[in-house]
Amino acid sequence: MTALDLALRWGNVLLRGLHLIAVILLGAALLGAPQSGRHFAIAVAASGFAMFALDVWRKPQHLREAAGIAVLVKLVLVGWLALDDSVRLPLFWIIVAGSAISAHAPARFRHALVLRRNKII
């Protein structure tokens, strides 16, 4: 393992930890803690986008897989959640449920190519 691989691996671990903290704080704010849900939604989106960017940088095919497309959908939903107070709580639970399913589905589903390249012969 190269130094770059090691740095990327630990960077990803750190980002995932920060992302989880942001998700927990967002959930707490949405359930009544005296915090700003918008700020935590932005933190969830920023950390999620950073993790996604690292994944795509290391494996560009991730953009065409079910897991990569699921992340794009989640990022759009988190953006919506950050902008619209009226849908925050239902969107939060939809995103959490979708995340659990997409993250823990069998590998053959997560890594299935949804978007295929057209081959010109």
Side-chain angles (χ1 to χ4, degrees):
M1 180 175 274
T2 68
L4 177 61
D5 288 334
L6 189 60
L8 289 172
R9 174 83 172 164
W10 281 104
N12 197 5
V13 168
L14 179 62
L15 277 172
R16 288 184 188 284
L18 292 172
H19 185 71
L20 185 55
I21 290 167
V23 169
I24 291 167
L25 291 171
L26 174 60
L30 294 175
L31 294 173
Q35 305 293 329
S36 169
R38 177 169 285 133
H39 292 103
F40 295 129
I42 292 168
V44 168
S47 58
F49 180 78
M51 290 186 305
F52 182 66
L54 274 177
D55 288 344
V56 171
W57 183 59
R58 293 187 80 182
K59 183 183 172 192
Q61 179 175 314
H62 187 61
L63 280 170
R64 300 185 303 126
E65 295 177 348
I69 293 168
V71 171
L72 286 174
V73 169
K74 289 189 298 186
L75 286 171
V76 167
L77 293 176
V78 170
W80 183 13
L81 182 149
L83 296 172
D84 188 350
D85 292 342
S86 69
V87 296
R88 279 205 180 123
L89 194 57
L91 277 180
F92 175 78
W93 290 114
I94 289 167
I95 295 164
V96 167
S99 296
I101 292 167
S102 66
H104 299 287
R108 73 174 184 272
F109 172 79
R110 287 191 324 270
H111 300 297
L113 289 178
V114 176
L115 302 174
R116 298 188 185 273
R117 290 186 179 147
N118 291 335
K119 293 186 179 183
I120 301 173
I121 298 176

